[in-house]
Structure formats: C-alpha cells, structure tokens
Amino acid sequence: MTDTPHHRILIVEDDATISGNLYSYLEQRGFVPDAAYDGRAALGMLTSQHFDAVILDVGLPGMDGYSVLRAMRTEHMLPVPVLMLTARDELDDKLAGFGHGADDYLTKPFALAEVEARLNALILRASGAVANPVRRCGALSYDSRTRVVAVQGKPVHLTRKSVMIIEALLRDAGRVVSRSELESHLWGSEPPSSDALRSQMHLLRKALNDAGYDGIETVHGTGWRLLVDGTGA
C-alpha cells in the first residue's frame, strides 16, 4: 500500500480481464477504483459523481472512447484528467486522442506500475499539488503529501475516513458536497448503512471541535460545506 490519498479512478474498459486487473492493482495501491464497461455508462457516472482521473479505452462498444472524450470536454465541460488506453500505436491515433482532449496515452500491453505512475502525475498536475500540496480554508489546512490535517498549524489526529472527508470538502471550499458524493468518495459504489456517514461526520466534527475548529456547516437535505468567511476558527 502506498500513501496515495485515496483518489477515485473510473476505469472505462470493456475487456473484463483488463478492467479487473486494473481495478485490483489500483485498489491495492491505495486508489478507490470504479468501473464502467461502455461509454454511455461511463458518461452517466462522470456527470453524477466525482472522479480524480479516468482510464479510458478507445475501442469501446457502441460509443467509442473518442466519442466519450468529446462529450466529456465539449458537452459536459468535465476537466477530469483522462489517460487513454488503446491497442493502436500509430501516431495518428495518438494525435486523435490528444485532439479530443486526452491528457496522456498508453498503448496495450502496458505495465500496471506505469499506469499508476501516469495517473499520479496527471492528478498532481490537475490538483496543483505539484506547486502547492497544502490546501487551506481559514484555520483548517491539509497537506496532500503527508495527509496531515491541521488547525492553526497544529496537527489533528484523525481517522482515515475523517481525512477523506476533509479531502472532499477542501476540493472546493464553500461548495456544498452532497451525501451521495461523500459516500461515493468514502466507500465507492457500495456504501454501508445510511447512518455510517453520519457517524463518520460526528467523529470528524468532534476531533476538529476539540482542536478549536467548528467550520463544517450542515446544509439540511443537501450535504455539508466548509465555511469560508473566517468563522469556525
């Protein structure tokens, strides 16, 4: 297991063996993978859930990878990084992928370790973590390299799930993060009982309150967000 901060990855690949190998490997390496086996299913997931990166096969049935990518970029304006996979190694095919908005390109067969390395590079670039790995909201800060959450510069001991909640809330401080989005971030496509997220949020708030921070706001019937007006510190 690595120190990967539980990035969510959507694997869009119709070959069950390749998809399964990618899923198992990435899960073992600390990612939170999910899978789609055709383009339309992938678009449905991408427009309703948050993912940190997409592994997209070109040769999908029905709606091919290029069409999926075009819809992501031009219709839905999704900025999520895309690593394209294909058996085609011709330059024109690669240029076509980049022309449709791909961020990187890998031909089959490939080494799973290389997929991981390329995903990490794409995610770092997209998040800005290469330049500044620390995200802040008032007195609250989070270092994506060390996965340390701090209040007024003092580290707070949190559970793994609590850190994952902070990751999700800090992606866009002030934006309401829905219950379904948090559940997907914490448990993937199979969240536990409806009380599980409430319990995790209670543990997180207690730890932060003890450290002097009360900046997580409940938006009833919708979700949670971080206060960005200086309160809560």
Side-chain angles (χ1 to χ4, degrees), residues 8-10 32-36 41-54 78-80 171 175 178 180-191:
R8 292 200 68 213
I9 308 296
L10 179 60
V32 181
D34 208 336
L43 279 177
M45 296 173 72
L46 286 164
T47 54
S48 63
Q49 303 177 44
H50 170 84
F51 291 96
D52 296 289
V54 181
L78 297 174
V80 57
R171 282 198 188 104
R175 181 180 71 86
S178 69
S180 62
E181 186 175 342
L182 276 177
E183 287 178 339
S184 294
H185 181 62
L186 267 64
W187 294 288
S189 60
E190 297 183 1

Side-chain angles (χ1 to χ4, degrees), residues 89-105:
D89 59 1
E90 295 295 329
L91 177 60
D92 287 346
D93 294 316
K94 295 180 180 180
L95 292 177
F98 289 126
H100 284 86
D103 297 276
D104 202 355
Y105 212 106

